[in-house]
Amino acid sequence: MRVTPSKANERERPAMSEHGTHGQDGTTGPGTGGGSADPATEAFVAHRNLLFTVAYELLGSAADAEDALQETWLRWTGVDLTEVRDRRAYLVRITTRQALSRLRALGRRKESYVGEWLPEPLLTAPDVAEDVELADSVSMAMMLVMETLTPTERAVFVLREVFDLGYDEIAEAVDKSQAAVRQTAHRARAHVAARRPRGVVSRAESRDALDAFQRAVNTGDIQGLLDILAPDVVLLGDGGGIKQAVLRPVTGADKVARLLLGGLVKLPVAMSMDPAQVNGHPALLIRLDGELDTVMAVRFDDGRISGLYAVRNPEKLTRMERETTLHR
């Protein structure tokens, strides 16, 4: 597998340079002595996109996921590979443990977060949308559902339901018995099933609904908005205390429609809304005077928009300049 170039890759190069050099595309190349990269580096690079996806699904933050991968790399370099039967499983285990540690710390940070906390949106390639299960698991709606799980429940759910790991592998990753992992998996599945979006919405239906939403906002058509919004739609905003955003959920089609039209249509600057693939699903990028200001992700239930997630915190928009490769 070739690794997509990214700033994160550049951050890792000092740690990995002992084992080999890297080409411009981010892949590991021959070392300074002209030989191939060592097996530890090759294994890490081969599974890097998978490891990032695991960490991101657990943390909801690309920056924290990258930090978890850096810690994974540092520990991986100290492993005796002759004792490792399955390098992929071993790397996933290390990454899961690092992500769980960060997830618990992240929970404490969220307690002091200004306003609502939303996952960091990712600009994703079309192939993510084609993998229905992966796209569903990284959707903003599902990531928020997983926020309601305990750290261990989230790890077990992700590793079992998304990455199809065996209970024995998961038990080693979360330091629990297989019996405990099975019980946790059952509890997490029931919790998620009760909260996940109702009904299957095709990508075409999602795009059509988002097009209707965009037209209504652009033209100030409040009835058009009310037609596409579910009666109990919820709007969440994340400004992180840096940008203005609603501090609490806004519920109800009328309230949400009036807030959107009042806040977007009356802006004193040029505003544009462009469609994009965010976390494997159609979303809108809102630009003010040409600069990215907001990522608007949506949740659909029974063919109508039931959730709007407006991420404005600029610290969470840094991955929107390039596609992020996700893999399972």
Side-chain angles (χ1 to χ4, degrees):
M1 178 182 299
R2 298 177 71 83
V3 178
T4 300
S6 70
K7 294 178 182 177
N9 287 2
E10 293 169 3
R11 290 216 314 265
E12 287 173 359
R13 288 177 189 174
M16 300 175 70
S17 60
E18 299 174 11
H19 306 280
T21 59
H22 296 253
Q24 292 182 350
D25 64 351
T27 56
T28 301
T32 54
S36 299
D38 72 290
T41 301
E42 289 180 342
F44 185 87
V45 171
H47 298 299
R48 189 190 188 286
N49 291 337
L50 163 69
L51 302 178
F52 174 83
T53 307
V54 170
Y56 173 73
E57 291 215 24
L58 291 180
L59 295 163
S61 163
D64 285 305
E66 295 289 3
D67 288 341
L69 258 63
Q70 181 71 6
E71 291 298 323
T72 297
W73 165 252
L74 293 175
R75 282 158 176 73
W76 178 242
T77 57
V79 172
D80 181 358
L81 295 189
T82 62
E83 301 294 322
V84 177
R85 178 178 56 83
D86 185 336
R87 295 177 184 179
R88 176 184 182 274
Y90 200 101
L91 280 163
V92 169
R93 187 193 315 166
I94 299 175
T95 300
T96 300
R97 289 178 175 174
Q98 295 308 310
L100 273 174
S101 176
R102 288 185 172 274
L103 183 59
R104 295 182 177 106
L106 187 62
R108 292 190 291 272
R109 294 199 330 242
K110 289 175 188 174
E111 293 174 1
S112 58
Y113 196 80
V114 179
E116 295 290 324
W117 185 96
L118 293 176
E120 182 177 351
L122 302 178
L123 187 67
T124 50
D127 63 335
V128 175
E130 292 168 4
D131 185 337
V132 176
E133 290 183 355
L134 177 60
D136 177 62
S137 70
V138 297
S139 70
M140 194 70 73
M142 181 57 72
M143 296 283 280
L144 283 173
V145 170
M146 289 195 289
E147 283 290 316
T148 64
L149 300 172
T150 68
T152 299
E153 286 174 341
R154 186 167 182 169
V156 170
F157 180 84
V158 167
L159 294 179
R160 181 63 182 172
E161 300 301 313
V162 182
F163 297 95
D164 198 30
L165 264 65
Y167 289 112
D168 55 339
E169 295 174 298
I170 300 173
E172 291 189 27
V174 300
D175 262 342
K176 302 286 184 182
S177 69
Q178 288 192 45
V181 165
R182 289 178 183 275
Q183 290 179 344
T184 301
H186 177 76
R187 186 167 60 248
R189 277 195 298 269
H191 185 95
V192 170
R195 292 163 177 80
R196 73 191 315 159
R198 302 181 298 274
V200 178
V201 179
S202 70
R203 277 186 285 167
E205 290 174 319
S206 298
R207 285 193 298 269
D208 290 345
L210 211 54
D211 287 344
F213 174 87
Q214 185 177 353
R215 284 195 303 273
V217 171
N218 284 335
T219 60
D221 180 7
I222 190 166
Q223 186 57 52
L225 266 182
L226 293 174
D227 289 342
I228 196 61
L229 297 176
D232 57 350
V233 62
V234 177
L235 168 66
L236 300 177
D238 181 344
I242 302 173
K243 289 287 190 74
Q244 184 178 1
V246 292
L247 296 178
R248 291 178 296 277
V250 178
T251 305
D254 187 68
K255 287 183 180 180
V256 169
R258 295 185 185 281
L259 177 65
L260 287 172
L261 293 183
L264 293 176
V265 176
K266 298 178 182 179
L267 286 171
V269 296
M271 188 270 289
S272 65
M273 304 177 76
D274 303 306
Q277 283 286 326
V278 174
N279 288 49
H281 293 268
L284 292 172
L285 307 185
I286 301 175
R287 292 185 169 86
L288 302 183
D289 280 342
E291 297 292 327
L292 180 63
D293 178 84
T294 305
V295 172
M296 183 75 78
V298 299
R299 165 176 170 156
F300 294 95
D301 279 298
D302 299 326
R304 303 178 83 177
I305 295 175
S306 60
L308 288 164
Y309 313 112
V311 182
R312 299 197 69 207
N313 184 346
E315 294 178 353
K316 292 186 176 183
L317 302 181
T318 58
R319 303 281 295 209
M320 297 303 297
E321 298 175 357
R322 64 189 184 281
E323 290 181 349
T324 295
T325 301
L326 299 177
H327 180 71
R328 69 188 180 103

